[in-house]
Amino acid sequence: MFVNFQMAPRWKGKDAKAKKDAQAEALKEPMSKIVSQLQSSLVQSNTCGFLSGSSVHLAVGAEQLHLLDKACFGSPVRTVEKDKPRFQLSFEEAFYLCYSLKCLKINNDSDDTSPQNSEELWHYMKSKKETFPCFYKAYSHLRMKNWVVRSGAQYGADFVVYCHHPARVHSEYGVLVLSDGEDKDLNGRLRVWSDVHCTTRLLGGVAKILLVLYVNRNGSSNESPLCLANYTIEEHTITRWNPEQCREKMVIHANSDNGTG
């Protein structure tokens, strides 16, 4: 099942002209084009990252630094070596660049020069983050549709998604990732009605819609990244019902029962 994403983007700007300019700039340089430029740049520069706890760090040049920011992957890290900028990627971001786009190599640590293969990275990331297989499937599912995917922690969600760079547009959806089988309590969310109500109310208060991604494992184990090909995604949006909302401006007022039929 696929949701038809037709919610109108809310462009950022002080006035109507600024918002129109932000939209024009985004249309001139779509996110798919920016990600393609990043992919080429990382391949040409033979960029390597290294595992650091529950994230991946990159030492990058000025061009890669610029493109990582434009494509909304990771965040810059302050270091004492100002001439060697670093970027920090989440597991989902790093594995997407490495496994799906094949433009990033990842070593075990900063002193290692032997890149980890996909199987080794998969097992490492899964050992550090139990929910990684399903979260990665959800992340890559949205990224492949050219959505910008960022952490949704501040909104009580797993992710938030934007149609372009967050500097130009507000996020449209707060995303929760759920799963079936053994992972049905993936993040303990939406098991009770009060959580559904609180989540939709919170997201509605910041003009976002709750998007639930159900990851169906279809009986596949998660011992290898090859399982991702068997995983499927169901998309559902959940919104609060507004009892004052009418389909038309004219409201029909029922007459009181006076016995006249």
Side-chain angles (χ1 to χ4, degrees):
M1 175 179 178
F2 294 93
V3 173
N4 187 16
F5 293 110
Q6 293 295 328
M7 182 178 179
R10 295 178 300 116
W11 300 99
K12 292 183 177 180
K14 295 181 179 180
D15 51 37
K17 182 180 182 303
K19 293 177 181 179
K20 190 173 181 179
D21 290 343
Q23 181 180 11
E25 287 298 317
L27 293 174
K28 187 187 303 181
E29 196 169 27
M31 190 53 61
S32 57
K33 179 180 178 182
I34 297 172
V35 172
S36 180
Q37 291 172 345
L38 171 64
Q39 184 180 21
S40 297
S41 181
L42 291 176
V43 169
Q44 291 171 10
S45 62
N46 197 30
T47 301
C48 288
F50 61 91
L51 297 168
S52 178
S54 296
S55 62
V56 173
H57 285 213
L58 309 177
V60 294
E63 179 183 306
Q64 292 77 41
L65 187 72
H66 174 65
L67 288 171
L68 282 165
D69 178 68
K70 282 184 70 176
C72 300
F73 281 93
S75 56
V77 178
R78 291 183 179 181
T79 65
V80 293
E81 300 172 304
K82 294 185 178 180
D83 59 326
K84 293 183 179 180
R86 283 190 178 179
F87 238 70
Q88 177 176 294
L89 303 174
S90 69
F91 280 168
E92 290 81 12
E93 292 170 327
F95 201 72
Y96 185 75
L97 292 173
C98 177
Y99 183 75
S100 296
L101 298 189
K102 302 187 185 309
C103 60
L104 177 66
K105 298 175 183 177
I106 301 175
N107 299 334
N108 188 50
D109 56 52
S110 56
D111 297 322
D112 190 6
T113 58
S114 178
Q116 301 272 293
N117 62 40
S118 297
E119 295 279 344
E120 291 170 330
L121 286 173
W122 178 264
H123 285 290
Y124 176 87
M125 293 176 176
K126 195 176 65 165
S127 70
K128 293 291 185 179
K129 184 177 181 179
E130 188 178 355
T131 58
F132 173 71
C134 289
F135 271 54
Y136 176 73
K137 180 64 179 182
Y139 176 90
S140 61
H141 173 79
L142 294 168
R143 266 291 183 179
M144 287 177 180
K145 292 187 172 191
N146 294 311
W147 287 93
V148 169
V149 187
R150 305 297 275 176
S151 170
Q154 70 184 100
Y155 300 110
D158 296 320
F159 301 115
V160 287
V161 294
Y162 304 75
C163 68
H164 208 277
H165 197 286
R168 289 178 175 166
V169 68
H170 293 280
S171 58
E172 299 173 37
Y173 296 89
V175 181
L176 286 180
V177 182
L178 304 182
S179 184
D180 62 352
E182 296 176 358
D183 295 328
K184 63 182 178 181
D185 289 331
L186 195 66
N187 52 16
R189 299 301 305 273
L190 306 187
R191 289 183 295 181
V192 293
W193 171 247
S194 59
D195 190 21
V196 177
H197 178 73
C198 289
T199 304
T200 53
R201 187 178 183 87
L202 172 62
L203 292 173
V206 287
K208 303 182 198 321
I209 291 176
L210 172 60
L211 171 63
V212 179
L213 297 185
Y214 287 95
V215 181
N216 297 314
R217 293 174 53 183
N218 298 314
S220 296
S221 69
N222 60 10
E223 292 305 308
S224 164
L226 295 176
C227 70
L228 295 167
N230 297 321
Y231 285 14
T232 56
I233 297 277
E234 291 183 18
E235 303 169 346
H236 300 275
T237 54
I238 302 176
T239 57
R240 296 177 67 213
W241 167 251
N242 182 358
E244 297 181 359
Q245 182 178 354
C246 299
R247 294 185 63 244
E248 298 181 12
K249 292 183 179 179
M250 182 66 70
V251 179
I252 299 175
H253 296 283
N255 293 326
S256 59
D257 186 2
N258 57 12
T260 61

